[in-house]
Tab-separated table of all heavy atoms in Angstrom:
chain	number	residue	atom	x	y	z
A	280	GLN	N	89.781	-29.214	-177.387
A	280	GLN	CA	90.574	-28.480	-178.371
A	280	GLN	C	89.727	-27.404	-179.044
A	280	GLN	O	88.502	-27.441	-179.024
A	280	GLN	CB	91.105	-29.439	-179.433
A	280	GLN	CG	91.982	-30.538	-178.898
A	280	GLN	CD	93.267	-30.003	-178.288
A	280	GLN	OE1	93.986	-29.236	-178.917
A	280	GLN	NE2	93.566	-30.413	-177.067
A	281	GLN	N	90.408	-26.441	-179.640
A	281	GLN	CA	89.763	-25.397	-180.420
A	281	GLN	C	90.085	-25.627	-181.901
A	281	GLN	O	91.216	-25.970	-182.254
A	281	GLN	CB	90.263	-24.016	-180.004
A	281	GLN	CG	89.894	-23.627	-178.574
A	281	GLN	CD	88.452	-23.180	-178.451
A	281	GLN	OE1	87.985	-22.340	-179.210
A	281	GLN	NE2	87.737	-23.744	-177.483
A	282	VAL	N	89.097	-25.422	-182.752
A	282	VAL	CA	89.271	-25.666	-184.176
A	282	VAL	C	88.822	-24.441	-184.969
A	282	VAL	O	87.881	-23.747	-184.578
A	282	VAL	CB	88.483	-26.925	-184.620
A	282	VAL	CG1	86.980	-26.717	-184.472
A	282	VAL	CG2	88.830	-27.314	-186.052
A	283	SER	N	89.496	-24.163	-186.052
A	283	SER	CA	89.122	-23.039	-186.912
A	283	SER	C	87.767	-23.301	-187.549
A	283	SER	O	87.427	-24.441	-187.883
A	283	SER	CB	90.185	-22.818	-187.995
A	283	SER	OG	90.432	-24.001	-188.726
A	284	ILE	N	86.978	-22.257	-187.755
A	284	ILE	CA	85.646	-22.422	-188.339
A	284	ILE	C	85.721	-22.804	-189.814
A	284	ILE	O	84.725	-23.253	-190.382
A	284	ILE	CB	84.785	-21.167	-188.160
A	284	ILE	CG1	85.379	-19.961	-188.900
A	284	ILE	CG2	84.605	-20.865	-186.669
A	284	ILE	CD1	84.462	-18.753	-188.936
A	285	LEU	N	86.883	-22.644	-190.425
A	285	LEU	CA	87.117	-23.074	-191.800
A	285	LEU	C	88.149	-24.195	-191.800
A	285	LEU	O	89.200	-24.080	-191.181
A	285	LEU	CB	87.630	-21.905	-192.650
A	285	LEU	CG	88.009	-22.224	-194.103
A	285	LEU	CD1	86.774	-22.576	-194.922
A	285	LEU	CD2	88.742	-21.026	-194.738
A	286	GLY	N	87.812	-25.302	-192.487
A	286	GLY	CA	88.754	-26.397	-192.660
A	286	GLY	C	89.100	-26.570	-194.123
A	286	GLY	O	88.325	-26.189	-195.008
A	287	VAL	N	90.270	-27.142	-194.394
A	287	VAL	CA	90.760	-27.308	-195.761
A	287	VAL	C	90.482	-28.729	-196.243
A	287	VAL	O	90.930	-29.698	-195.624
A	287	VAL	CB	92.262	-27.005	-195.853
A	287	VAL	CG1	92.785	-27.265	-197.271
A	287	VAL	CG2	92.541	-25.551	-195.444
A	288	GLY	N	89.741	-28.862	-197.335
A	288	GLY	CA	89.401	-30.166	-197.892
A	288	GLY	C	90.583	-30.819	-198.589
A	288	GLY	O	91.285	-30.185	-199.373
A	289	GLY	N	90.782	-32.088	-198.320
A	289	GLY	CA	91.960	-32.785	-198.844
A	289	GLY	C	91.874	-33.174	-200.299
A	289	GLY	O	92.898	-33.173	-200.997
A	290	PHE	N	90.681	-33.514	-200.802
A	290	PHE	CA	90.592	-33.933	-202.194
A	290	PHE	C	91.044	-32.818	-203.123
A	290	PHE	O	91.766	-33.050	-204.099
A	290	PHE	CB	89.167	-34.366	-202.559
A	290	PHE	CG	89.044	-34.766	-204.003
A	290	PHE	CD1	89.438	-36.024	-204.428
A	290	PHE	CD2	88.580	-33.873	-204.953
A	290	PHE	CE1	89.365	-36.392	-205.766
A	290	PHE	CE2	88.499	-34.228	-206.297
A	290	PHE	CZ	88.894	-35.493	-206.704
A	291	HIS	N	90.661	-31.606	-202.822
A	291	HIS	CA	90.980	-30.493	-203.717
A	291	HIS	C	92.443	-30.087	-203.639
A	291	HIS	O	92.994	-29.563	-204.612
A	291	HIS	CB	90.045	-29.323	-203.439
A	291	HIS	CG	88.613	-29.649	-203.783
A	291	HIS	ND1	87.792	-30.310	-202.901
A	291	HIS	CD2	87.906	-29.462	-204.915
A	291	HIS	CE1	86.610	-30.495	-203.478
A	291	HIS	NE2	86.652	-29.992	-204.694
A	292	LEU	N	93.088	-30.322	-202.500
A	292	LEU	CA	94.539	-30.117	-202.459
A	292	LEU	C	95.215	-31.065	-203.449
A	292	LEU	O	96.199	-30.713	-204.100
A	292	LEU	CB	95.086	-30.349	-201.051
A	292	LEU	CG	94.860	-29.246	-200.021
A	292	LEU	CD1	95.474	-29.659	-198.686
A	292	LEU	CD2	95.423	-27.908	-200.478
A	293	GLY	N	94.666	-32.269	-203.559
A	293	GLY	CA	95.197	-33.212	-204.529
A	293	GLY	C	94.924	-32.807	-205.964
A	293	GLY	O	95.571	-33.319	-206.889
A	294	SER	N	93.968	-31.908	-206.168
A	294	SER	CA	93.639	-31.414	-207.504
A	294	SER	C	94.407	-30.146	-207.868
A	294	SER	O	94.305	-29.670	-209.004
A	294	SER	CB	92.134	-31.115	-207.597
A	294	SER	OG	91.354	-32.247	-207.312
A	295	ALA	N	95.131	-29.580	-206.899
A	295	ALA	CA	95.866	-28.337	-207.156
A	295	ALA	C	96.955	-28.554	-208.205
A	295	ALA	O	97.357	-29.684	-208.497
A	295	ALA	CB	96.478	-27.816	-205.859
A	296	LYS	N	97.443	-27.471	-208.739
A	296	LYS	CA	98.378	-27.497	-209.860
A	296	LYS	C	99.605	-28.356	-209.605
A	296	LYS	O	100.006	-29.177	-210.441
A	296	LYS	CB	98.789	-26.068	-210.210
A	296	LYS	CG	99.764	-25.943	-211.360
A	296	LYS	CD	100.118	-24.481	-211.587
A	296	LYS	CE	101.158	-24.330	-212.688
A	296	LYS	NZ	101.549	-22.902	-212.889
A	297	ASP	N	100.236	-28.175	-208.449
A	297	ASP	CA	101.471	-28.901	-208.158
A	297	ASP	C	101.774	-28.816	-206.667
A	297	ASP	O	101.052	-28.161	-205.905
A	297	ASP	CB	102.642	-28.350	-208.979
A	297	ASP	CG	102.790	-26.835	-208.886
A	297	ASP	OD1	102.460	-26.250	-207.812
A	297	ASP	OD2	103.207	-26.211	-209.879
A	298	GLN	N	102.845	-29.482	-206.245
A	298	GLN	CA	103.213	-29.494	-204.831
A	298	GLN	C	103.549	-28.099	-204.328
A	298	GLN	O	103.233	-27.743	-203.187
A	298	GLN	CB	104.405	-30.426	-204.605
A	298	GLN	CG	104.808	-30.579	-203.142
A	298	GLN	CD	103.744	-31.281	-202.307
A	298	GLN	OE1	103.295	-32.359	-202.645
A	298	GLN	NE2	103.332	-30.656	-201.205
A	299	GLN	N	104.161	-27.301	-205.147
A	299	GLN	CA	104.504	-25.939	-204.737
A	299	GLN	C	103.254	-25.142	-204.393
A	299	GLN	O	103.225	-24.387	-203.413
A	299	GLN	CB	105.289	-25.238	-205.855
A	299	GLN	CG	105.769	-23.839	-205.487
A	299	GLN	CD	106.605	-23.208	-206.597
A	299	GLN	OE1	106.855	-23.824	-207.626
A	299	GLN	NE2	107.036	-21.979	-206.381
A	300	THR	N	102.206	-25.328	-205.189
A	300	THR	CA	100.942	-24.651	-204.910
A	300	THR	C	100.351	-25.126	-203.595
A	300	THR	O	99.863	-24.329	-202.783
A	300	THR	CB	99.944	-24.894	-206.052
A	300	THR	OG1	100.489	-24.403	-207.274
A	300	THR	CG2	98.611	-24.207	-205.782
A	301	VAL	N	100.386	-26.429	-203.363
A	301	VAL	CA	99.869	-26.993	-202.116
A	301	VAL	C	100.660	-26.444	-200.927
A	301	VAL	O	100.075	-26.052	-199.910
A	301	VAL	CB	99.918	-28.530	-202.147
A	301	VAL	CG1	99.533	-29.110	-200.789
A	301	VAL	CG2	99.000	-29.074	-203.234
A	302	ASN	N	101.975	-26.414	-201.034
A	302	ASN	CA	102.802	-25.875	-199.953
A	302	ASN	C	102.415	-24.435	-199.617
A	302	ASN	O	102.296	-24.064	-198.447
A	302	ASN	CB	104.275	-25.930	-200.333
A	302	ASN	CG	104.819	-27.333	-200.457
A	302	ASN	OD1	104.178	-28.299	-200.042
A	302	ASN	ND2	106.000	-27.462	-201.040
A	303	ALA	N	102.224	-23.630	-200.671
A	303	ALA	CA	101.875	-22.229	-200.466
A	303	ALA	C	100.501	-22.091	-199.830
A	303	ALA	O	100.294	-21.269	-198.919
A	303	ALA	CB	101.915	-21.483	-201.803
A	304	MET	N	99.549	-22.900	-200.282
A	304	MET	CA	98.201	-22.830	-199.735
A	304	MET	C	98.157	-23.252	-198.274
A	304	MET	O	97.536	-22.583	-197.434
A	304	MET	CB	97.257	-23.710	-200.562
A	304	MET	CG	96.979	-23.208	-201.963
A	304	MET	SD	95.963	-24.366	-202.915
A	304	MET	CE	94.429	-24.345	-201.949
A	305	VAL	N	98.822	-24.347	-197.954
A	305	VAL	CA	98.828	-24.829	-196.574
A	305	VAL	C	99.516	-23.814	-195.664
A	305	VAL	O	99.024	-23.506	-194.569
A	305	VAL	CB	99.508	-26.202	-196.484
A	305	VAL	CG1	99.748	-26.604	-195.026
A	305	VAL	CG2	98.651	-27.262	-197.185
A	306	GLY	N	100.637	-23.269	-196.096
A	306	GLY	CA	101.330	-22.266	-195.300
A	306	GLY	C	100.484	-21.031	-195.059
A	306	GLY	O	100.409	-20.514	-193.936
A	307	LYS	N	99.812	-20.562	-196.106
A	307	LYS	CA	98.963	-19.384	-195.977
A	307	LYS	C	97.785	-19.659	-195.054
A	307	LYS	O	97.411	-18.814	-194.218
A	307	LYS	CB	98.466	-18.940	-197.353
A	307	LYS	CG	97.575	-17.708	-197.328
A	307	LYS	CD	97.122	-17.303	-198.728
A	307	LYS	CE	98.233	-16.673	-199.522
A	307	LYS	NZ	97.750	-16.081	-200.807
A	308	ALA	N	97.178	-20.836	-195.183
A	308	ALA	CA	96.034	-21.183	-194.340
A	308	ALA	C	96.440	-21.236	-192.870
A	308	ALA	O	95.743	-20.681	-191.997
A	308	ALA	CB	95.442	-22.517	-194.783
A	309	VAL	N	97.552	-21.905	-192.573
A	309	VAL	CA	98.005	-22.006	-191.186
A	309	VAL	C	98.324	-20.628	-190.624
A	309	VAL	O	97.958	-20.298	-189.481
A	309	VAL	CB	99.232	-22.947	-191.086
A	309	VAL	CG1	99.842	-22.889	-189.689
A	309	VAL	CG2	98.832	-24.381	-191.427
A	310	ASP	N	98.985	-19.796	-191.406
A	310	ASP	CA	99.316	-18.442	-190.955
A	310	ASP	C	98.062	-17.623	-190.654
A	310	ASP	O	98.080	-16.725	-189.799
A	310	ASP	CB	100.158	-17.716	-192.004
A	310	ASP	CG	101.579	-18.250	-192.099
A	310	ASP	OD1	101.998	-18.987	-191.181
A	310	ASP	OD2	102.259	-17.945	-193.103
A	311	ALA	N	96.963	-17.923	-191.353
A	311	ALA	CA	95.706	-17.195	-191.153
A	311	ALA	C	94.884	-17.749	-189.995
A	311	ALA	O	93.815	-17.222	-189.687
A	311	ALA	CB	94.877	-17.227	-192.435
A	312	GLY	N	95.365	-18.832	-189.371
A	312	GLY	CA	94.667	-19.384	-188.226
A	312	GLY	C	93.890	-20.651	-188.502
A	312	GLY	O	93.263	-21.210	-187.590
A	313	VAL	N	93.925	-21.137	-189.739
A	313	VAL	CA	93.241	-22.391	-190.057
A	313	VAL	C	94.046	-23.544	-189.475
A	313	VAL	O	95.251	-23.654	-189.715
A	313	VAL	CB	93.089	-22.562	-191.585
A	313	VAL	CG1	92.540	-23.947	-191.921
A	313	VAL	CG2	92.182	-21.477	-192.157
A	314	ASN	N	93.379	-24.418	-188.738
A	314	ASN	CA	94.117	-25.531	-188.124
A	314	ASN	C	93.450	-26.890	-188.348
A	314	ASN	O	93.820	-27.868	-187.702
A	314	ASN	CB	94.326	-25.287	-186.630
A	314	ASN	CG	93.059	-25.473	-185.805
A	314	ASN	OD1	91.944	-25.365	-186.331
A	314	ASN	ND2	93.212	-25.728	-184.506
A	315	PHE	N	92.490	-26.971	-189.290
A	315	PHE	CA	91.866	-28.266	-189.577
A	315	PHE	C	92.122	-28.645	-191.023
A	315	PHE	O	91.779	-27.898	-191.949
A	315	PHE	CB	90.362	-28.239	-189.321
A	315	PHE	CG	89.746	-29.624	-189.373
A	315	PHE	CD1	89.673	-30.402	-188.238
A	315	PHE	CD2	89.287	-30.149	-190.571
A	315	PHE	CE1	89.138	-31.691	-188.281
A	315	PHE	CE2	88.756	-31.427	-190.624
A	315	PHE	CZ	88.677	-32.198	-189.482
A	316	PHE	N	92.701	-29.846	-191.209
A	316	PHE	CA	93.016	-30.340	-192.548
A	316	PHE	C	92.424	-31.735	-192.725
A	316	PHE	O	92.702	-32.652	-191.969
A	316	PHE	CB	94.530	-30.351	-192.775
A	316	PHE	CG	95.093	-28.977	-192.957
A	316	PHE	CD1	95.413	-28.199	-191.850
A	316	PHE	CD2	95.271	-28.443	-194.222
A	316	PHE	CE1	95.909	-26.910	-192.006
A	316	PHE	CE2	95.770	-27.160	-194.382
A	316	PHE	CZ	96.086	-26.390	-193.286
A	317	ASP	N	91.618	-31.852	-193.760
A	317	ASP	CA	90.889	-33.065	-194.112
A	317	ASP	C	91.652	-33.850	-195.175
A	317	ASP	O	92.402	-33.283	-195.963
A	317	ASP	CB	89.513	-32.624	-194.654
A	317	ASP	CG	88.849	-33.633	-195.563
A	317	ASP	OD1	89.183	-33.675	-196.771
A	317	ASP	OD2	87.969	-34.357	-195.089
A	318	ASN	N	91.445	-35.171	-195.194
A	318	ASN	CA	91.988	-35.997	-196.267
A	318	ASN	C	91.299	-37.354	-196.229
A	318	ASN	O	90.415	-37.592	-195.395
A	318	ASN	CB	93.508	-36.144	-196.161
A	318	ASN	CG	94.190	-36.001	-197.509
A	318	ASN	OD1	93.971	-36.799	-198.411
A	318	ASN	ND2	94.997	-34.955	-197.658
A	319	ALA	N	91.698	-38.250	-197.129
A	319	ALA	CA	91.191	-39.621	-197.131
A	319	ALA	C	92.195	-40.521	-197.825
A	319	ALA	O	92.898	-40.105	-198.751
A	319	ALA	CB	89.831	-39.719	-197.829
A	320	TRP	N	92.261	-41.755	-197.373
A	320	TRP	CA	93.214	-42.739	-197.905
A	320	TRP	C	93.115	-42.874	-199.419
A	320	TRP	O	94.126	-43.053	-200.095
A	320	TRP	CB	92.952	-44.082	-197.229
A	320	TRP	CG	93.751	-45.221	-197.769
A	320	TRP	CD1	95.013	-45.595	-197.381
A	320	TRP	CD2	93.366	-46.137	-198.799
A	320	TRP	NE1	95.438	-46.688	-198.109
A	320	TRP	CE2	94.433	-47.043	-198.983
A	320	TRP	CE3	92.216	-46.286	-199.582
A	320	TRP	CZ2	94.384	-48.076	-199.921
A	320	TRP	CZ3	92.158	-47.311	-200.513
A	320	TRP	CH2	93.239	-48.196	-200.678
A	321	GLU	N	91.915	-42.770	-199.983
A	321	GLU	CA	91.742	-43.048	-201.405
A	321	GLU	C	91.799	-41.821	-202.308
A	321	GLU	O	91.782	-41.959	-203.529
A	321	GLU	CB	90.416	-43.769	-201.645
A	321	GLU	CG	89.177	-42.954	-201.342
A	321	GLU	CD	87.908	-43.788	-201.473
A	321	GLU	OE1	87.934	-44.993	-201.135
A	321	GLU	OE2	86.892	-43.237	-201.905
A	322	TYR	N	91.880	-40.615	-201.753
A	322	TYR	CA	91.897	-39.424	-202.603
A	322	TYR	C	93.102	-39.440	-203.536
A	322	TYR	O	94.251	-39.489	-203.091
A	322	TYR	CB	91.933	-38.150	-201.758
A	322	TYR	CG	90.639	-37.796	-201.061
A	322	TYR	CD1	90.633	-36.862	-200.033
A	322	TYR	CD2	89.418	-38.377	-201.412
A	322	TYR	CE1	89.466	-36.493	-199.383
A	322	TYR	CE2	88.248	-38.024	-200.770
A	322	TYR	CZ	88.277	-37.091	-199.750
A	322	TYR	OH	87.117	-36.739	-199.100
A	323	HIS	N	92.820	-39.380	-204.830
A	323	HIS	CA	93.869	-39.364	-205.850
A	323	HIS	C	94.862	-40.511	-205.662
A	323	HIS	O	96.068	-40.353	-205.834
A	323	HIS	CB	94.597	-38.018	-205.866
A	323	HIS	CG	93.703	-36.860	-206.203
A	323	HIS	ND1	93.377	-36.527	-207.504
A	323	HIS	CD2	93.049	-35.976	-205.412
A	323	HIS	CE1	92.566	-35.477	-207.485
A	323	HIS	NE2	92.344	-35.130	-206.222
A	324	GLU	N	94.319	-41.658	-205.273
A	324	GLU	CA	95.123	-42.873	-205.083
A	324	GLU	C	96.310	-42.637	-204.144
A	324	GLU	O	97.401	-43.164	-204.349
A	324	GLU	CB	95.583	-43.415	-206.433
A	324	GLU	CG	94.411	-43.806	-207.337
A	324	GLU	CD	94.853	-44.380	-208.667
A	324	GLU	OE1	95.998	-44.110	-209.077
A	324	GLU	OE2	94.055	-45.098	-209.284
A	325	GLY	N	96.066	-41.850	-203.116
A	325	GLY	CA	97.083	-41.602	-202.097
A	325	GLY	C	97.883	-40.327	-202.287
A	325	GLY	O	98.547	-39.869	-201.351
């Protein structure tokens, strides 16, 4: 597989202002060619 040289950290998405902000960020990142998204079971208690 091919992966974007920039990946999006999951903990900080959980720290974003609200779901609308997260939606906008994820959409913008994917449109720009970013295809790696990180997360963890315990970040912000799920």
